[in-house]
Amino acid sequence: MEIGVYSFGDSQRNEDGSLRSTTEAITNLFDAIVHADRVGADFFGVGEHHTLEMPASSPGAMIAAAAAATTRIRLGSAVSIISTDDPVRVYQQFATASAISGGRVEITAGRGSSVESFPLFGYDLVDYERLYEEKLELLMAINDAGDDAKVTWNGSVRPALDGLEVVPRPAGGKLPIWIGTGGSAPSSVRAGRLGMPVTYGIIGGAPARFAPLVELYRRTFAQGGHAIENQKVSVAALGLVAKTKQEALERAYPGWYNMNLEMGRRRGWPAPQQDAFLAQAHGAGAYYIGDPDDVAERIVDLHGHLGHMRHFLQMDIGSLPQEHYLESIELLATEVKPRVTRLLAKK
C-alpha cells in the first residue's frame, strides 16, 4: 500500500493568536514535500483552498515547484476544484509538472470541501452540478487527445474547442486522473462508469461505513468493462503521528480545535468539543492520530473493509508547529509504512 500526505497549506500563528504570513505557509508546505520525498513517503497531494488559514490556492504551481525539487515521490492535487477553474489550464499546468518530474504527477478532480472559489471566480452555486459534469468531461477529453494534442469539445460552461491543440502533453502521453469525493453514491457510480480511480475523503464518522460505496464503485466499474489496472481506491483522512499516542493527541488537538472553530464561524457549525475529537481519534474513528503501531494497525484494519491501495493523511491543520509536522511525516514514512507492509503481508 502507498502511504502519503496531503495539505491545503497551514498558516502559523503568533503568540497573540494572529495569523502569520501566507508566504511562510507556502514555503513550509514546499519544505514538507521535499522532506516527504527525502524520508520515503509514496505520495504528496496539495489540495485547493482559498483562505488565510489554508492558502494553497494553486496546486498546479506548487506541484510544478515540487516536481523540480524531488526525485521519487508521486505528486498530485487533492483536490483540484475543476468546477471553478478552466480544465485547459489545469491540464496544462499538471502536464508541465509531469514533464519536469518524469511522469510522477496526477490530478484528483473534485468539487472541493468548501465553496469559497465560487464567488472568487464569479460562479453561481446554482450551477454546481453542471459545472462539475461538463468540466470533468472536458478534462478527460484533453487527456484522451493523443499525440496530436487536438481537442474537440462543446458545452455550456465555457467556449467550445474545435480541433485546438492543448500542450504540453504529459510524460507517458496521459495523466492519471482520479475522481475525488466526500462519500456520495453518485460520485462512486460516476467514477466506476467512467473507469477512473476514486479517492474518498473521510474526515468524520466510522471509515468502514464507506465499504458499500467502494463496492458500488467496483461493481459499476466492472459493468463498464474498463481496464482493471485503472480500478483504484485511495483514502484521504486526518491524522498525526508521534512517538506516543498521548503525545500525538496533545499535538493534534489544538490545531483541530482552531480549524473547527474557524470553519464553524464560516459555516455556522457548533463550537468544537474535545469529546468529539477523542471519539474520532480512537478505535474505529476517522482520525489517524497516534504512535506508529496504532496508526499502522488502524490503516490495515480499514484496508480489510475497503481494499484501498493508498492511504494519505492531512496533518498540518490549525497552525500545527512545522517541526511537529515534519516529524510526523518522517514517522509516517519510516515507521508506519513498513509496519503496514508487514501487517498486510500476514493477511
Side-chain angles (χ1 to χ4, degrees):
M1 179 187 290
E2 295 181 3
I3 299 295
V5 185
Y6 75 105
S7 172
F8 301 135
D10 184 37
S11 295
Q12 299 295 295
R13 292 181 182 270
N14 297 305
E15 290 185 4
D16 64 1
S18 61
L19 286 171
R20 302 214 301 249
S21 74
T22 54
T23 298
E24 180 188 32
I26 295 301
T27 57
N28 281 347
L29 175 54
F30 177 80
D31 290 344
I33 299 173
V34 173
H35 182 68
D37 179 63
R38 186 183 303 119
V39 299
D42 296 310
F43 174 76
F44 204 113
V46 178
E48 180 181 345
H49 264 251
H50 299 270
T51 68
L52 288 170
E53 295 81 13
M54 299 179 182
S57 60
S58 182
M62 178 59 75
I63 294 303
T70 56
T71 59
R72 51 163 303 280
I73 194 169
R74 291 199 64 80
L75 304 164
S77 57
V79 300
S80 293
I81 307 175
I82 60 165
S83 306
T84 54
D85 208 338
D86 183 354
V88 175
R89 292 302 283 158
V90 170
Y91 196 87
Q92 290 172 326
Q93 291 161 5
F94 280 82
T96 299
S98 176
I100 293 168
S101 73
R104 293 184 284 117
V105 169
E106 57 193 51
I107 296 173
T108 299
R111 296 179 175 88
S113 60
S114 60
V115 296
E116 285 85 4
S117 63
F118 279 79
L120 186 63
F121 297 113
Y123 289 98
D124 195 325
L125 280 170
V126 171
D127 300 322
Y128 190 82
E129 289 292 337
R130 181 165 61 96
L131 284 164
Y132 184 70
E133 288 281 355
E134 290 194 18
K135 290 191 175 186
L136 177 62
E137 179 186 80
L138 174 55
L139 188 68
M140 294 175 63
I142 297 168
N143 204 33
D144 292 336
D147 292 338
D148 68 4
K150 292 182 178 178
V151 179
T152 296
W153 177 88
N154 185 59
S156 64
V157 298
R158 76 173 310 281
L161 301 177
D162 186 9
L164 298 180
E165 295 175 349
V166 178
V167 294
R169 304 307 297 172
K174 297 180 73 171
L175 285 171
I177 299 180
W178 297 63
I179 294 287
T181 174
S184 73
S187 292
S188 299
V189 169
R190 178 185 292 112
R193 174 172 52 82
L194 296 174
M196 300 173 70
V198 64
T199 292
Y200 291 99
I202 305 179
I203 59 174
R209 66 187 169 86
F210 279 70
L213 291 173
V214 173
E215 174 57 31
L216 176 62
Y217 161 70
R218 291 194 171 112
R219 185 167 66 250
T220 308
F221 192 104
Q223 290 169 351
H226 302 294
I228 192 64
E229 62 266 22
N230 292 328
Q231 188 191 97
K232 298 177 182 178
V233 175
S234 70
V235 168
L238 300 179
L240 189 74
V241 190
K243 293 179 180 178
T244 68
K245 176 86 171 183
Q246 186 60 36
E247 189 174 28
L249 292 170
E250 291 172 355
R251 290 180 176 184
Y253 178 70
W256 177 89
Y257 181 86
N258 287 338
M259 180 187 70
N260 281 277
L261 194 66
E262 177 59 29
M263 295 303 291
R265 185 186 68 79
R266 292 176 181 272
R267 301 184 186 180
W269 294 352
Q273 300 294 320
Q274 188 172 25
D275 287 349
F277 167 79
L278 293 173
Q280 290 294 316
H282 294 284
Y287 302 162
Y288 292 80
I289 299 171
D291 59 72
D293 284 322
D294 178 55
V295 173
E297 288 166 5
R298 293 177 62 208
I299 290 173
V300 171
D301 178 74
L302 184 61
H303 181 271
H305 297 279
L306 306 186
H308 57 307
M309 51 72 64
R310 176 188 291 166
H311 196 108
F312 57 116
L313 300 179
Q314 182 186 10
M315 302 182 286
D316 60 333
I317 60 173
S319 302
L320 178 76
Q322 180 76 349
E323 62 268 24
H324 293 170
Y325 185 34
L326 297 180
E327 180 183 340
S328 183
I329 291 173
E330 185 160 353
L331 288 171
L332 185 70
T334 63
E335 299 290 339
V336 174
K337 179 182 171 181
R339 283 168 167 79
V340 168
T341 300
R342 288 196 297 269
L343 290 170
L344 288 175
K346 294 179 181 179
K347 296 183 71 174

